[in-house]
Each structure stands twice: as C-alpha cells, then as structure tokens.
Amino acid sequence: MKLYSYFRSSAAYRVRIALNLKGISYDTVPIHLAKDGGQNRKPEFRAVNPQMRVPVLAISSGDVLVQSLAIIEYLDEVYPEPPLLPADAVARAKVRAVSQIIACDIHPLANTSPLRYLKNTLGHDQPAIDAWYHHWVLEGFEAVEAMIRPGPYLCGAQVTLADLCLVPQVFNARRLKVPLERFPKIVAADAACLKLAAFDKARPENQPDAE
Amino acid sequence: MKLYSYFRSSAAYRVRIALNLKGISYDTVPIHLAKDGGQNRKPEFRAVNPQMRVPVLAISSGDVLVQSLAIIEYLDEVYPEPPLLPADAVARAKVRAVSQIIACDIHPLANTSPLRYLKNTLGHDQPAIDAWYHHWVLEGFEAVEAMIRPGPYLCGAQVTLADLCLVPQVFNARRLKVPLERFPKIVAADAACLKLAAFDKARPENQPDAE
C-alpha cells in the first residue's frame, strides 16, 4: 500500500495510526501542503485525488481511497484485527459519534484551509485566527469530555476509531497552545494512546517528511 | 423512536431521509435553533446532548444517539433494508468518501455556527459571509462532481449514504444562491432523489416545525 501523507496533517495521522495498529506495512509518498505553493495542488496529485487533499491510500487493486474516516472504516472491514469499532450497534454509534465531533465539528474549522481564508481573504491577524482556532477546539472538546466515560482510552478499555481522531487533534491543539486543563479525561486518553507503539510511530515527528 | 430535529438543519434532514427510506416511524421533537436564543442551548436539551446540536435520535432502549452519520450507520446496521452502503468494501469506502466530503469538508464550514462567528465575533457583512459560504460549497462540489459516475444517484444505480448527504447540501446551497450550473451530475442526482417519497417527505418544508 502507498499512503500519500503530510507529516503534520491530522487526517493523515489518523490513517497512519490505523495502518500501524493493523500491522499493515506501507510506503509513504510525502505531499508537502505548503512547499511550492502546495504540492497537493499540482496536476499530478490532482489526478490522484480531485479534492487535492491528503491522506490518500492507494491499495494493491489499483483503487485509490480518500477521506480519512472512509479509509479507516475500509481498513477495519478488510483487516478486522484489532477491531477499531465495538461489535454492538449502539456502542459503535457512540464511538462514531465521538469520532465525528472531532472529524466533522472541530477539525474542518481548525484546518489550514479556513485559517488561510481568514488570513488571506478576510485579512485577519494572528490573534484573531488563533481565537477562531481555540473557539472550535474548546467547544468540541467540551462536548467530547462530557460524553466519555473513564478510559483508559476515549471510549473505554479498547482503542477505537475515536482515539485515532483524538490524538492528532490534541497534538494540533497543543501546537496552537489551546489550554487543555479543563479536559482531564481527554488528556488522560491521549497519554494512554501515546504509550502504544502504533500511535508513537505515527507521530508527525516520526515521519520521513518531518521537518 | 424520537428525533430531535430542526426543519432547516441539513444534518437532521439526512437522518429524516434515512428513517423514511427504512420505513421507520418516529416522532419529531422540534428544537428551534434560533428562537429563544436557541432552544438547543437550554439546560433541558443540553442534558439530552452535551454538544447542543441536532439531530438526536432517542431509541427504544433509552439510548440517545448523536451525530448524523453515526446515527445513519446505526440505522443501516440494525435495519439493513434497503442498504445505504454497497456490500463491497472498496465501494463502501467510495460512498463514505463522497459522503464525508459533504459532511466534513463542506457542511461544517457552511453551517450556522461559523457563519454566526463571522458575523458576530469577526464583524463581517453579509456579502463577505455569503462569499465564505459559496467558497466551501463550490470547492467541495467540484471534488464530488469530479469523483462521481453517471447516476441516476450520486454513486450509481442505488440510493446511498452519499445521496442523504447531498440533497440537504444542495437545498442549502440553493437557499444561499450558490450557482450550480457547473455541477450537472450533482444537480441530476439531487433531482433523481427528490422524486422518491422518502426524500420528499424529509424536505424542510414538509416538517411539522416548518416556517
């Protein structure tokens, strides 16, 4: 398998954790989202993914999969061990809900595209952009913190899809100096995950394209 | 079942379509997102959903499910007919990817929360807010239009999860006057869906709380 990735992309980070947990070996194709005006915007990459985003997983059949949660659900269906979703339908819905609060309600607003729009198109300064970023992370983390039970992981005793969404978002939040004291359960789940080799190996700083 | 809904919410609209397609009867609990400073922000509703968003599906076990895609996947697992995802893992990943471009990369940026932030916190006028809205819809629809094949539905001959995400987003885009001429495949899939009773019945204007 070939993963088109950028070391700092939260969405690529989620997929790297999934591949590591499943024990799937893969080659990284680094796509730098800032260098050369964004390598993701070059025609070569647009031919791979019309949305011009990472991650993209190219599998042995020649199929090319996009969107991190779709890729992870695919991996979980085809490589079921260890499972990233519980067996019970209600429990699965709860794990997916926590995952989607992060992947739909925090990350898209805190991602580089809207931050660039705020800066370049709307002319905001860094403090206003940081306040926007903090706002969405804090609002989303408040909901997650209120929804989860004691861990060690975000949804209980097993690592789930929700942890794969959490750890990259916490990494990102720390990089942008969001105070996390109000979220002891989130901080504890993040720490528990990062003790696992699959998470550690997926960290941005451990990628071949890390700067 | 009880669906906490707001007639104009795209995410609630998705779940209404799923319930109708599956032939599941439900009661609507209207939660007005603007009236009284937002009925979703009242303590009674916060006790139901700490994230204070609709939709919420309360099922007969007493469990309360949140996040539209998590709810729809739950319904698809427990009420498998008609299926909203194909059987093949790669095909499922492709349907989920198109769904997520809409649900993660368009909708969260075009939703009322960021639009209100742009207006109230950042002080932007309506033309700037409309330009922001159009930007994310156009960018996302460009990717979707490039990824899909002839229909009649978004991912082929069967209605899938992707259509449940598409139709509410197109409704919303039209309401905010986004030009859709560049997206003939999207427009055709939307029209094909709206011929089905399950989609028609789920339209905002056909809800008990419609204004």
Side-chain angles (χ1 to χ4, degrees):
Chain A
M1 290 195 188
K2 224 164 52 175
L3 180 69
Y4 295 81
S5 176
Y6 175 54
F7 74 110
R8 208 181 260 157
S9 155
S10 293
Y13 189 173
R14 295 174 197 152
V15 176
R16 295 195 300 257
I17 301 168
L19 288 163
N20 295 344
L21 283 167
K22 303 285 185 183
I24 301 166
S25 67
Y26 65 94
D27 294 317
T28 298
V29 184
I31 301 293
H32 201 293
L33 302 187
K35 214 184 276 176
D36 315 326
Q39 292 173 350
N40 58 312
R41 309 195 75 82
K42 305 276 173 217
E44 307 88 89
F45 186 67
R46 189 172 197 159
V48 174
N49 179 9
Q51 207 193 1
M52 298 181 283
R53 297 196 176 201
V54 293
V56 174
L57 188 68
I59 59 176
S60 57
S61 62
D63 287 295
V64 158
L65 309 181
V66 302
Q67 288 286 330
S68 62
L69 297 192
I71 295 171
I72 295 168
E73 294 252 8
Y74 166 83
L75 292 171
D76 205 37
E77 290 174 359
V78 176
Y79 305 87
E81 293 302 326
L84 298 176
L85 288 168
D88 172 70
V90 168
R92 292 162 74 81
K94 294 190 173 183
V95 169
R96 285 194 177 113
V98 173
S99 306
Q100 289 165 17
I101 291 179
I102 300 168
C104 303
D105 293 331
I106 301 177
H107 178 65
L109 290 152
N111 204 356
T112 45
S113 322
L115 302 188
R116 271 192 209 139
Y117 192 106
L118 290 172
K119 185 179 175 184
N120 299 334
T121 306
L122 294 175
H124 288 294
D125 59 10
Q126 202 53 45
I129 295 167
D130 289 346
W132 164 282
Y133 180 94
H134 285 215
H135 175 83
W136 304 111
V137 174
L138 292 171
E139 189 182 84
F141 276 2
E142 264 163 35
V144 171
E145 186 79 11
M147 283 171 72
I148 59 177
R149 300 292 154 85
Y153 304 113
L154 203 52
C155 295
Q158 307 299 329
V159 167
T160 66
L161 176 61
D163 298 296
L164 278 57
C165 295
L166 180 76
V167 168
Q169 190 63 65
V170 169
F171 168 81
N172 217 289
R174 288 208 170 102
R175 201 166 71 83
L176 280 100
K177 305 197 184 350
V178 178
L180 299 178
E181 296 76 24
R182 284 149 60 189
F183 312 114
K185 289 189 276 181
I186 284 177
V187 168
D190 175 71
C193 288
L194 284 169
K195 283 184 194 149
L196 305 174
F199 283 78
D200 185 64
K201 205 178 130 193
R203 283 177 188 257
E205 60 267 35
N206 294 338
Q207 301 317 302
D209 57 330
E211 283 162 7
Chain B
M1 289 196 190
K2 222 163 52 176
L3 181 70
Y4 295 81
S5 177
Y6 175 54
F7 74 110
R8 208 179 261 157
S9 155
S10 294
Y13 190 174
R14 293 174 198 153
V15 175
R16 294 194 301 258
I17 301 167
L19 288 163
N20 294 345
L21 283 167
K22 302 284 185 184
I24 301 166
S25 68
Y26 66 94
D27 294 317
T28 299
V29 184
I31 301 293
H32 201 293
L33 301 187
K35 215 183 277 179
D36 316 328
Q39 292 173 349
N40 58 312
R41 309 194 76 81
K42 305 276 174 218
E44 308 88 89
F45 187 67
R46 191 174 195 157
V48 175
N49 180 9
Q51 207 194 357
M52 300 180 282
R53 297 195 178 202
V54 294
V56 175
L57 187 69
I59 59 176
S60 57
S61 62
D63 287 295
V64 158
L65 309 182
V66 302
Q67 287 286 330
S68 62
L69 297 192
I71 295 171
I72 295 168
E73 294 251 8
Y74 166 83
L75 292 171
D76 205 39
E77 289 174 0
V78 176
Y79 305 88
E81 293 301 325
L84 298 175
L85 288 169
D88 172 70
V90 168
R92 292 163 75 82
K94 293 190 173 181
V95 169
R96 286 193 177 113
V98 173
S99 307
Q100 290 165 17
I101 290 178
I102 299 168
C104 303
D105 291 332
I106 300 177
H107 178 65
L109 290 153
N111 204 355
T112 46
S113 322
L115 303 188
R116 273 192 207 140
Y117 192 106
L118 289 172
K119 184 179 177 187
N120 299 334
T121 306
L122 294 176
H124 288 294
D125 60 10
Q126 202 53 46
I129 295 167
D130 289 346
W132 164 281
Y133 180 93
H134 285 217
H135 176 84
W136 303 111
V137 174
L138 292 170
E139 189 183 83
F141 276 1
E142 264 163 37
V144 171
E145 186 79 9
M147 282 170 74
I148 59 177
R149 300 292 154 86
Y153 304 112
L154 203 50
C155 295
Q158 307 297 328
V159 167
T160 66
L161 176 62
D163 298 295
L164 279 59
C165 295
L166 180 75
V167 168
Q169 190 62 65
V170 169
F171 167 82
N172 217 291
R174 287 207 171 103
R175 201 166 72 82
L176 280 101
K177 304 197 184 347
V178 177
L180 299 178
E181 296 76 25
R182 281 150 61 189
F183 312 114
K185 289 188 276 181
I186 284 177
V187 168
D190 175 70
C193 288
L194 284 169
K195 284 185 194 148
L196 305 175
F199 283 78
D200 185 65
K201 206 177 130 193
R203 282 175 188 259
E205 60 269 33
N206 293 338
Q207 300 316 301
D209 57 331
E211 283 163 6

